[in-house]
Amino acid sequence: MATDRIVGIDLGTTNSLVAFMQGETPVVIPGDDGLNLLPSVVALDANNQPVIGNAARNSLIETPERAVYSIKRLMGRGSEDIQEELKLFPFRLADDLQAGEVLRITLGDKTFTPPEISALILRQLKRSAERFFGGPVTKAVITVPAYFNDAQRQATKDAGRIAGLEVLRLVNEPTAASLAYGLDKKRNGIVAVYDLGGGTFDISILKLHDGIFEVIATNGDTHLGGDDIDNLLITIALDDIRGDLGIDLRRNAEAVQAIRKAVIDAKIALSSQPSVKLDIELPGNKHYLREITRNQYEQLIQPVIDRTVGPCKQAMKDANLKPEQIDEVVLVGGSTRIPKVRALVKELFHREPHTDLNPDEVVALGAAVQANILGGGSEATENMLLLDVTPLSLGIEVAGGVTDKIILRNSTIPASATQFYTTQIDGQTNVAIHVLQGERELAKDCRSLARFDLKGIPPMAAGIPRVEVKFLIDANGILHVSAREQRSGKEAEIQVQPSYGLTDEQVEGMILDSFDNAEEDFRQRQLIEARAETTTILTALEKGKKSAAWGALTTDEKKQIAKMEKSLVAVNAEQDYQAIRKAIDALNQGTMRLAELMMDTAVSSALKGKNMDETDLGEGPTAPHPMAKAEFE
Amino acid sequence: MRAAHFCESCGKVQPPVPVDYFSFFGLPPRLSLDVAALEKSFYELSRKLHPDLNARAGSQEQEWSLEQSSLLNDAYRTLRDPIKRTEYLLHLEGVLLEEQSKSATEQARATGELKKQIVPPDLLEEVFELNLHLEELRMNKKMGDDDPALFEEIGKAKLSLEAKHEALLRELQTYWKEWDGLIDRGPDASTTDRQRVSGKLVDVLNRRNYIRNLVRDVNAAMEN
Ligand SMILES: Nc1ncnc2c1ncn2[C@@H]1O[C@H](COP(=O)(O)OP(=O)(O)OP(=O)(O)O)[C@@H](O)[C@H]1O
Ligand SMILES: [Mg+2]
């Protein structure tokens, strides 16, 4: 049933994954390259068609002006708060960007908002899942950093919608990890999850109690991760090159990307080796050579990883817990593979952290668990319930530009607060409310969420109207506001002006595969794929006919093959992809002996390979697609 | 009686009824409260009301589930904390604690003056001295000087304040008992009695808040 196919998605800064609960265990669904991790890289090919993942990675070096990575850093952000990022990341903002407009990034000669780029990544994952299920997938749980604010969450939800996914829930990444972790451990106690990924850092402290996962405190930094280490190493290399060779490569996007790739490889090697030799080819046939020892590297990155200390201490303070009271520490995120990070965590929490789960996959697996819970649950998730918190306090601006906090950080969500407003002037019919998120005293130091204009207050003497405004943070961590004038009982009209983010109409206009067309889109795509397979198998057959093996078949066999070929050609002209698939399967069966004979003569394995690739399709969840798409020369 | 948050026979979430936080949990408005039992009921109700467990219900039920579980969380957050619980009870009694402090703050802001804190008389001397010391410490910090004796002096004052804070919490609990006695007596308890006890509660809370703010200032001065 299509309605039960709710997938869990980890939309990461560096890597994204899609997972699904297969029976009682969550599994990652591989992409068509057979790999679990989809690099969060988007590029446009020569025909302006989007390319996502590993395929797009090459384009980062070859055509950097047509590619983008780490787009998550820009989700829900305005141009004034990304000035630092722009110095370190090759984001090319659109030239015609207006003040107050949602950011747009240039790829080739087109521009895209961050949610649209994220949507391309999500759509790719959606397609992997559809291939896995043999049917459309329209519902998902998507993870976000726990410390994401309202605008960043809303942007992620918008991305889902643009990708043709109904986002049933946004789950915080560390919390999702704890779900995956708690699934087989079924124990009670206090668990801290330390998640250092590519671009974000989160720390969450949870209380596990008979299947209830109650977050007691969370903290983090949405701009801290492996990217920051990469940027440090890149800067050093660029400085070296400028100093020693006198070439300034900072504006040379290709060279910068080549250096970036090399330093990331070096960084990863340094997690398991005592030293590493960098050897980077530079323009003009020169090489940049440098040896980095583990020791040097660790000194270099210390300031970066030290930035995780403050949030950890604050989270423990908020949870009112000492390190000794924490029973277990779980590591999540690729950057926790760095030995120095592990040492830091051990020092902070006075215990050896858990590393038994794959830090790249655990968040997606947890998202799949949550998807299963939302879908009605199963034996494995019975009794499991997640109680998460809002990471940042919600406030409203009051006289003097001060923030009045109405929902404190670490409040369990859903959470609400009610405020009463009145008028200052006789006959006043509007009241403006400025909603903020953050911990600081002054409104200007907090994050502006939105300005609400309460309209249609019945005209009365000043101070008489009593407008009740209800602020509600839902289970996704997203704010909803409603208002009512109490004396007249009239529902007041609220006009929302989000400080950052797309309007509903804008999102509508961006939708890639609309919901209503999910079935039709899926059918179309299947048809295109099936026809491509027809071409492949017919080409292979032509080849077979010319091979020595053809002669070894009986007349009867040849006649059979000719008949099946003819019917394949016939259905291929029709619209029914399933009929085409059937005909392909039949031809595959019928040419089995030919393929074997050809294999013997080592000609090609295309005919046979095809057969293995497509078995079980359409039967729903059986096994994750174990192989890469076969290649045909 | 607890409000019917969900249907006993079919388990479906019901529309929220406007009730106070105590009634939401089916509790009388008593201040001594078994927090472990409250947590247990919070978990039980969460398992019925949370949106995750009603994700497949109709849109009306989903809306009720969102409202009900936000009410549940708000109520639990308030009642499990001794200070918030007391403040909430006073709010139910019609004492405008928050408004009082808010209007004081706003007035102070409007006149550009520092918000006047009424120093509890028994603390006058101690606070006077502490403020001098804090001022000295801040000056030292500015000049880059270090005065370990002063630091120690402030540390001692802080300990004394923390002890007072503890004592106030104990005092608060004795008034809780008085209050609960009135509740247990039911309609027999007179309005005058209620007002007398709530007055005491307000007084302890104010003194307690004053000391808490003072400790916070001391901590800030010592950390910087
Ligand atoms: N062995 C390793 N040593 C050091 N760093 C590593 C290693 N393996 C992966 N990384 C780094 O981990 C980061 C990616 O981790 P991960 O896939 O968990 O991040 P993400 O989920 O995409 O990001 P985020 O959660 O911040 O959005 C990259 O910066 C990568 O370079
Ligand atoms: Mg991650």
Side-chain angles (χ1 to χ4, degrees):
Chain A
M1 256 197 355
T3 49
D4 287 329
R5 273 183 221 129
I6 311 173
V7 293
I9 293 178
D10 173 4
L11 183 61
T13 310
T14 319
N15 298 302
S16 298
L17 300 87
V18 56
F20 175 73
M21 192 86 163
Q22 185 165 59
E24 304 298 318
T25 25
V27 291
V28 176
I29 301 173
D32 57 13
D33 54 6
L35 301 174
N36 282 358
L37 296 187
L38 176 73
S40 306
V41 184
V42 173
L44 289 186
D45 69 12
N47 302 319
N48 270 346
Q49 288 306 303
V51 186
I52 294 101
N54 279 308
R57 259 161 101 176
N58 295 332
S59 131
L60 270 180
I61 295 179
E62 285 152 17
T63 52
E65 74 291 346
R66 304 180 69 82
V68 62
Y69 65 93
S70 293
I71 193 65
K72 191 169 167 180
R73 289 204 167 222
L74 301 191
M75 293 287 274
R77 316 250 299 166
S79 51
E80 66 286 359
D81 43 32
I82 58 156
Q83 292 313 312
E84 279 306 304
E85 320 282 321
L86 291 181
K87 285 185 207 144
L88 296 165
F89 292 84
F91 293 125
R92 288 167 308 280
L93 293 189
D95 301 328
D96 58 344
L97 208 60
Q98 308 291 315
E101 193 194 347
V102 173
L103 295 176
R104 272 181 294 120
I105 299 295
T106 309
L107 291 189
D109 50 15
K110 293 188 164 199
T111 67
F112 299 85
T113 61
E116 286 174 291
I117 292 172
S118 296
L120 289 168
I121 299 169
L122 290 173
R123 186 174 62 167
Q124 184 76 12
L125 296 170
K126 176 178 186 276
R127 288 183 176 174
S128 298
E130 290 177 337
R131 209 163 36 81
F132 172 80
F133 293 121
V137 170
T138 56
K139 291 178 180 173
V141 166
I142 302 180
T143 62
V144 290
Y147 217 56
F148 252 19
N149 65 29
D150 187 275
Q152 291 168 307
R153 286 168 195 269
Q154 192 60 58
T156 307
K157 227 180 151 193
D158 290 344
R161 227 168 104 212
I162 296 169
L165 287 168
E166 185 188 347
V167 182
L168 296 187
R169 177 74 75 245
L170 296 175
V171 187
N172 294 329
E173 286 159 14
T175 326
S178 78
L179 282 180
Y181 169 82
L183 195 62
D184 44 43
K185 297 251 158 100
K186 290 266 152 66
R187 59 174 78 158
N188 294 336
I190 306 283
V191 175
V193 183
Y194 178 104
D195 179 353
L196 188 62
T200 60
F201 169 65
D202 280 326
I203 174 77
S204 287
I205 302 177
L206 295 98
K207 179 169 165 187
L208 271 52
H209 180 89
D210 294 342
I212 291 199
F213 291 64
E214 183 186 11
V215 180
I216 21 193
T218 194
N219 212 294
D221 185 336
T222 56
H223 289 85
L224 174 59
D227 277 353
D228 296 281
I229 295 174
D230 304 345
N231 286 336
L232 258 179
L233 295 169
I234 295 170
T235 313
I236 290 174
L238 287 172
D239 285 352
D240 277 356
I241 294 165
R242 196 156 43 135
D244 293 357
L245 303 176
I247 338 176
D248 189 351
L249 289 177
R250 281 175 302 177
R251 301 258 160 269
N252 184 332
E254 287 91 351
V256 171
Q257 286 312 311
I259 293 171
R260 177 169 174 267
K261 186 174 180 303
V263 300
I264 292 174
D265 290 344
K267 170 184 83 168
I268 290 172
L270 279 166
S271 287
S272 54
Q273 284 166 214
S275 79
V276 69
K277 285 202 174 70
L278 272 178
D279 180 352
I280 307 174
E281 207 181 305
L282 302 175
N285 242 342
K286 294 214 167 73
H287 278 252
Y288 169 64
L289 299 166
R290 164 191 266 289
E291 179 165 11
I292 307 176
T293 66
R294 169 84 71 84
N295 210 327
Q296 293 168 329
Y297 168 72
E298 290 183 344
Q299 277 178 21
L300 191 71
I301 64 169
Q302 194 70 47
V304 176
I305 64 178
D306 277 350
R307 283 169 58 200
T308 66
V309 173
C312 288
K313 291 201 165 149
Q314 187 63 52
M316 280 191 269
K317 200 169 160 193
D318 288 354
N320 206 2
L321 290 170
K322 298 212 160 37
E324 294 72 32
Q325 292 170 287
I326 291 168
D327 299 304
E328 294 181 63
V329 182
V330 180
L331 292 183
V332 183
S335 300
T336 61
R337 290 211 179 88
I338 301 172
K340 194 77 185 162
V341 171
R342 296 191 172 182
L344 179 85
V345 174
K346 189 178 166 191
E347 196 185 314
L348 267 172
F349 294 96
H350 304 186
R351 73 190 60 248
E352 206 66 58
H354 276 275
T355 51
D356 37 339
L357 287 171
N358 182 340
D360 299 323
E361 297 186 352
V362 62
V363 170
L365 297 176
V369 173
Q370 178 69 359
N372 178 278
I373 295 172
L374 292 175
S378 65
E379 209 172 304
T381 60
E382 206 189 349
N383 275 327
M384 280 174 84
L385 174 63
L386 189 57
L387 300 176
D388 219 318
V389 299
T390 178
L392 298 157
S393 299
L394 185 82
I396 41 182
E397 184 174 344
V398 294
V402 175
T403 314
D404 184 12
K405 298 203 178 105
I406 54 171
I407 299 178
L408 296 183
R409 70 162 182 270
N410 294 324
S411 294
T412 305
I413 50 174
S416 69
T418 305
Q419 291 285 118
F420 293 94
Y421 291 86
T422 189
T423 50
Q424 311 283 319
I425 311 168
D426 290 346
Q428 184 180 338
T429 54
N430 286 17
V431 173
I433 305 174
H434 188 196
V435 187
L436 307 149
Q437 211 170 19
E439 310 311 320
R440 302 283 295 276
E441 225 20 68
L442 295 179
K444 68 174 176 53
D445 298 324
C446 288
R447 175 83 180 165
S448 171
L449 279 194
R451 288 175 190 276
F452 294 92
D453 214 357
L454 286 180
K455 289 191 164 173
I457 299 169
M460 290 182 234
I464 296 296
R466 197 171 144 83
V467 188
E468 180 190 295
V469 181
K470 188 165 177 198
F471 300 86
L472 190 147
I473 301 179
D474 69 13
N476 301 311
I478 292 180
L479 176 71
H480 303 260
V481 180
S482 59
R484 173 183 297 278
E485 201 289 304
Q486 289 202 313
R487 304 208 193 270
S488 63
K490 229 181 108 181
E491 195 85 30
E493 187 196 331
I494 302 182
Q495 231 171 42
V496 189
Q497 215 186 325
S499 306
Y500 305 89
L502 301 164
T503 62
D504 274 353
E505 292 74 38
Q506 283 174 309
V507 173
E508 252 0 277
M510 290 173 177
I511 290 178
L512 296 168
D513 301 322
S514 93
F515 283 95
D516 305 338
N517 296 331
E519 288 284 346
E520 177 56 22
D521 286 350
F522 178 74
R523 212 183 55 75
Q524 283 295 343
R525 227 163 39 237
Q526 292 296 317
L527 191 61
I528 292 167
E529 278 178 25
R531 282 179 179 161
E533 274 162 36
T534 303
T535 313
T536 309
I537 194 168
L538 290 181
T539 316
L541 183 60
E542 280 318 302
K543 224 176 186 177
K545 282 182 185 167
K546 288 189 196 112
S547 78
W550 186 251
L553 296 181
T554 64
T555 327
D556 206 34
E557 280 172 326
K558 288 182 196 163
K559 230 192 221 156
Q560 275 293 327
I561 292 175
K563 208 173 124 197
M564 287 186 287
E565 183 184 359
K566 208 172 145 204
S567 64
L568 174 58
V569 171
V571 287
N572 198 51
E574 306 284 322
Q575 303 295 316
D576 184 352
Y577 74 89
Q578 273 162 333
I580 302 176
R581 280 262 155 73
K582 236 189 219 145
I584 292 172
D585 282 348
L587 185 57
N588 257 323
Q589 285 294 331
T591 54
M592 195 85 96
R593 212 171 80 81
L594 173 63
E596 272 159 19
L597 289 170
M598 284 168 77
M599 283 254 261
D600 288 346
T601 47
V603 180
S604 157
S605 63
L607 292 166
K608 198 168 177 217
K610 202 63 234 147
N611 202 11
M612 283 153 50
D613 200 28
E614 295 298 339
T615 40
D616 285 346
L617 205 126
E619 296 222 52
T622 46
H625 199 312
M627 299 193 307
K629 244 189 193 153
E631 281 182 39
F632 307 99
E633 289 297 328
Chain B
M1 245 315 280
R2 179 159 91 187
H5 305 308
F6 56 91
C7 166
E8 289 291 347
S9 54
C10 69
K12 278 191 182 173
V13 178
Q14 300 298 303
V17 211
V19 289
D20 68 74
Y21 292 163
F22 290 99
S23 312
F24 191 92
F25 279 102
L27 294 168
R30 296 172 95 254
L31 285 169
S32 316
L33 187 147
D34 179 350
V35 177
L38 184 74
E39 182 186 64
K40 197 163 162 260
S41 11
F42 168 66
Y43 286 156
E44 274 168 17
L45 284 169
S46 291
R47 288 191 192 280
K48 297 283 181 195
L49 303 179
H50 197 277
D52 286 2
L53 306 175
N54 292 284
R56 293 186 311 163
S59 65
Q60 178 69 83
E61 268 168 77
Q62 287 199 33
E63 206 174 296
W64 289 340
S65 146
L66 178 59
E67 280 183 45
Q68 288 269 34
S69 70
S70 70
L71 202 56
L72 169 65
N73 292 335
D74 297 344
Y76 178 56
R77 185 164 53 246
T78 306
L79 294 190
R80 77 174 161 193
D81 179 88
I83 302 296
K84 284 196 191 126
R85 186 196 315 149
T86 313
E87 287 173 347
Y88 179 71
L89 182 107
L90 290 169
H91 158 80
L92 290 182
E93 284 296 293
V95 180
L96 302 174
L97 267 180
E98 207 182 316
E99 272 77 359
Q100 272 175 16
S101 95
K102 227 191 225 165
S103 65
T105 313
E106 264 162 29
Q107 203 170 354
R109 252 183 230 131
T111 57
E113 276 172 42
L114 272 180
K115 181 174 165 183
K116 276 212 192 65
Q117 292 264 22
I118 305 148
V119 186
D122 57 320
L123 282 178
L124 259 174
E125 211 172 310
E126 201 174 336
V127 168
F128 182 73
E129 200 171 324
L130 179 64
N131 276 334
L132 282 182
H133 283 157
L134 287 179
E135 198 46 47
E136 207 177 323
L137 181 68
R138 285 187 199 111
M139 281 306 279
N140 283 350
K141 288 264 158 80
K142 238 185 227 159
M143 314 300 288
D145 290 346
D146 198 18
D147 183 351
L150 178 69
F151 209 77
E152 199 178 312
E153 199 64 40
I154 295 175
K156 261 194 234 155
K158 184 183 147 187
L159 282 182
S160 142
L161 286 175
E162 279 168 350
K164 288 211 167 70
H165 188 251
E166 288 301 307
L168 279 170
L169 290 186
R170 281 193 301 275
E171 193 182 341
L172 188 65
Q173 290 190 6
T174 63
Y175 294 120
W176 282 5
K177 292 217 179 73
E178 269 194 51
W179 174 266
D180 294 349
L182 294 179
I183 295 301
D184 294 344
R185 249 199 281 155
D188 291 352
S190 73
T191 316
T192 344
D193 281 340
R194 285 171 88 116
Q195 278 172 354
R196 181 181 53 81
V197 181
S198 66
K200 295 277 187 200
L201 289 166
V202 171
D203 178 50
V204 180
L205 280 185
N206 281 340
R207 279 188 287 150
R208 181 257 169 199
N209 287 348
Y210 182 81
I211 291 192
R212 191 210 44 197
N213 290 345
L214 215 53
V215 171
R216 208 174 44 197
D217 289 351
V218 173
N219 281 337
M222 286 173 89
E223 269 168 30
N224 284 327

PDB file of all heavy atoms in Angstrom, chain A residues 53-64:
ATOM      1  N   GLY A  53      24.648  14.158  -6.459  1.00  0.00           N
ATOM      2  CA  GLY A  53      25.431  13.125  -5.792  1.00  0.00           C
ATOM      3  C   GLY A  53      26.807  12.943  -6.372  1.00  0.00           C
ATOM      4  O   GLY A  53      27.456  13.916  -6.776  1.00  0.00           O
ATOM      5  N   ASN A  54      27.244  11.681  -6.415  1.00  0.00           N
ATOM      6  CA  ASN A  54      28.603  11.407  -6.891  1.00  0.00           C
ATOM      7  C   ASN A  54      28.842  11.952  -8.288  1.00  0.00           C
ATOM      8  O   ASN A  54      29.922  12.457  -8.587  1.00  0.00           O
ATOM      9  CB  ASN A  54      28.886   9.909  -6.846  1.00  0.00           C
ATOM     10  CG  ASN A  54      29.275   9.484  -5.443  1.00  0.00           C
ATOM     11  OD1 ASN A  54      30.181  10.080  -4.839  1.00  0.00           O
ATOM     12  ND2 ASN A  54      28.580   8.506  -4.898  1.00  0.00           N
ATOM     13  N   ALA A  55      27.805  11.841  -9.128  1.00  0.00           N
ATOM     14  CA  ALA A  55      27.933  12.328 -10.497  1.00  0.00           C
ATOM     15  C   ALA A  55      28.225  13.825 -10.514  1.00  0.00           C
ATOM     16  O   ALA A  55      28.942  14.322 -11.387  1.00  0.00           O
ATOM     17  CB  ALA A  55      26.650  12.032 -11.270  1.00  0.00           C
ATOM     18  N   ALA A  56      27.676  14.540  -9.534  1.00  0.00           N
ATOM     19  CA  ALA A  56      27.866  15.990  -9.505  1.00  0.00           C
ATOM     20  C   ALA A  56      29.215  16.379  -8.904  1.00  0.00           C
ATOM     21  O   ALA A  56      29.684  17.495  -9.083  1.00  0.00           O
ATOM     22  CB  ALA A  56      26.737  16.637  -8.710  1.00  0.00           C
ATOM     23  N   ARG A  57      29.826  15.449  -8.184  1.00  0.00           N
ATOM     24  CA  ARG A  57      31.070  15.779  -7.498  1.00  0.00           C
ATOM     25  C   ARG A  57      32.189  16.132  -8.469  1.00  0.00           C
ATOM     26  O   ARG A  57      32.976  17.043  -8.210  1.00  0.00           O
ATOM     27  CB  ARG A  57      31.513  14.620  -6.609  1.00  0.00           C
ATOM     28  CG  ARG A  57      31.165  14.868  -5.164  1.00  0.00           C
ATOM     29  CD  ARG A  57      31.167  13.606  -4.405  1.00  0.00           C
ATOM     30  NE  ARG A  57      32.391  13.465  -3.633  1.00  0.00           N
ATOM     31  CZ  ARG A  57      32.589  12.455  -2.803  1.00  0.00           C
ATOM     32  NH1 ARG A  57      31.679  11.503  -2.683  1.00  0.00           N
ATOM     33  NH2 ARG A  57      33.692  12.361  -2.123  1.00  0.00           N
ATOM     34  N   ASN A  58      32.250  15.389  -9.578  1.00  0.00           N
ATOM     35  CA  ASN A  58      33.287  15.694 -10.561  1.00  0.00           C
ATOM     36  C   ASN A  58      33.120  17.097 -11.092  1.00  0.00           C
ATOM     37  O   ASN A  58      34.092  17.801 -11.342  1.00  0.00           O
ATOM     38  CB  ASN A  58      33.204  14.711 -11.733  1.00  0.00           C
ATOM     39  CG  ASN A  58      33.511  13.308 -11.261  1.00  0.00           C
ATOM     40  OD1 ASN A  58      34.239  13.141 -10.286  1.00  0.00           O
ATOM     41  ND2 ASN A  58      32.939  12.326 -11.933  1.00  0.00           N
ATOM     42  N   SER A  59      31.862  17.469 -11.254  1.00  0.00           N
ATOM     43  CA  SER A  59      31.605  18.779 -11.820  1.00  0.00           C
ATOM     44  C   SER A  59      32.057  19.896 -10.882  1.00  0.00           C
ATOM     45  O   SER A  59      32.315  21.019 -11.319  1.00  0.00           O
ATOM     46  CB  SER A  59      30.135  18.863 -12.216  1.00  0.00           C
ATOM     47  OG  SER A  59      29.539  19.983 -11.751  1.00  0.00           O
ATOM     48  N   LEU A  60      32.193  19.581  -9.571  1.00  0.00           N
ATOM     49  CA  LEU A  60      32.718  20.578  -8.631  1.00  0.00           C
ATOM     50  C   LEU A  60      34.110  21.033  -9.063  1.00  0.00           C
ATOM     51  O   LEU A  60      34.478  22.183  -8.890  1.00  0.00           O
ATOM     52  CB  LEU A  60      32.841  19.978  -7.228  1.00  0.00           C
ATOM     53  CG  LEU A  60      31.653  20.096  -6.288  1.00  0.00           C
ATOM     54  CD1 LEU A  60      31.979  19.448  -4.964  1.00  0.00           C
ATOM     55  CD2 LEU A  60      31.265  21.550  -6.077  1.00  0.00           C
ATOM     56  N   ILE A  61      34.876  20.092  -9.614  1.00  0.00           N
ATOM     57  CA  ILE A  61      36.233  20.436 -10.045  1.00  0.00           C
ATOM     58  C   ILE A  61      36.260  20.882 -11.501  1.00  0.00           C
ATOM     59  O   ILE A  61      36.942  21.842 -11.848  1.00  0.00           O
ATOM     60  CB  ILE A  61      37.178  19.228  -9.833  1.00  0.00           C
ATOM     61  CG1 ILE A  61      37.275  18.941  -8.324  1.00  0.00           C
ATOM     62  CG2 ILE A  61      38.561  19.499 -10.419  1.00  0.00           C
ATOM     63  CD1 ILE A  61      38.129  17.774  -7.957  1.00  0.00           C
ATOM     64  N   GLU A  62      35.465  20.197 -12.333  1.00  0.00           N
ATOM     65  CA  GLU A  62      35.532  20.496 -13.765  1.00  0.00           C
ATOM     66  C   GLU A  62      34.762  21.764 -14.150  1.00  0.00           C
ATOM     67  O   GLU A  62      35.247  22.584 -14.929  1.00  0.00           O
ATOM     68  CB  GLU A  62      35.024  19.303 -14.576  1.00  0.00           C
ATOM     69  CG  GLU A  62      36.067  18.190 -14.602  1.00  0.00           C
ATOM     70  CD  GLU A  62      35.435  16.816 -14.770  1.00  0.00           C
ATOM     71  OE1 GLU A  62      34.261  16.748 -15.191  1.00  0.00           O
ATOM     72  OE2 GLU A  62      36.121  15.822 -14.468  1.00  0.00           O
ATOM     73  N   THR A  63      33.532  21.890 -13.612  1.00  0.00           N
ATOM     74  CA  THR A  63      32.742  23.090 -13.922  1.00  0.00           C
ATOM     75  C   THR A  63      32.192  23.673 -12.626  1.00  0.00           C
ATOM     76  O   THR A  63      30.983  23.653 -12.388  1.00  0.00           O
ATOM     77  CB  THR A  63      31.570  22.754 -14.863  1.00  0.00           C
ATOM     78  OG1 THR A  63      30.840  21.645 -14.288  1.00  0.00           O
ATOM     79  CG2 THR A  63      32.010  22.411 -16.247  1.00  0.00           C
ATOM     80  N   PRO A  64      33.073  24.193 -11.770  1.00  0.00           N
ATOM     81  CA  PRO A  64      32.630  24.636 -10.440  1.00  0.00           C
ATOM     82  C   PRO A  64      31.525  25.688 -10.469  1.00  0.00           C
ATOM     83  O   PRO A  64      30.754  25.798  -9.529  1.00  0.00           O
ATOM     84  CB  PRO A  64      33.900  25.182  -9.788  1.00  0.00           C
ATOM     85  CG  PRO A  64      34.889  25.340 -10.877  1.00  0.00           C
ATOM     86  CD  PRO A  64      34.510  24.392 -11.955  1.00  0.00           C
TER      87      PRO A  64
END
